[in-house]
Amino acid sequence: MTETPLQMTERLYAKVQRRKTAAKKWSDAYEGKRPLLFSSPEFSTQTGGLFDEFSDNWCAVVPDATVERLVPIGFRLEDGSVDDAAGKAWRRSECDVEIGLALLEALITGRSYALVWGNDER
């Protein structure tokens, strides 16, 4: 049986919802929304709780540094040949400008999504 567009949308939405908790966990870590796990209760008592809301976020360093070094340079077909048409479409759609955001999200949460559609220019 073939899925209707509505059934496919509902199935994919349910899949995204199942992944939401893990994605939020890693996004929060990247944004520094984590308690200091290494500060002991004694440290907190000694400092009067002054650093309870402070964290030094090293979780962002790895994905940020990686994204700076990732640059798509082309597209290859299954047979290994270069797909020049895909490269031109990529640049024409300004994907080369926004790819950093998609790569960063993929490195943080393990997934990244993009909306793709056709137009009159094909």
Side-chain angles (χ1 to χ4, degrees), residues 2 7-8 32 48-49 52 54 65 67 74 77 80 86-87 92 94-95 102 112 114:
T2 305
Q7 289 170 327
M8 182 185 294
D52 288 351
F54 172 79
V67 166
L77 300 173
R92 188 174 56 248
E94 298 180 358
C95 292
S112 185

Side-chain angles (χ1 to χ4, degrees), residues 107-119:
L107 287 167
I108 294 168
T109 65
R111 300 262 184 317
S112 185
Y113 301 93
L115 294 174
V116 181
W117 63 92
N119 59 27

Side-chain angles (χ1 to χ4, degrees), residues 16-35:
V16 169
Q17 288 299 102
R18 285 191 303 271
R19 296 174 177 161
K20 188 163 74 171
T21 302
K24 180 164 178 21
K25 171 187 170 186
W26 294 114
S27 290
D28 286 350
Y30 176 81
E31 294 172 14
K33 297 177 184 173
R34 298 183 58 135

Side-chain angles (χ1 to χ4, degrees), residues 70-84:
L70 292 175
V71 178
I73 57 173
F75 297 91
R76 291 198 181 274
L77 300 173
E78 283 185 48
D79 65 5
S81 63
V82 175
D83 188 347
D84 289 325

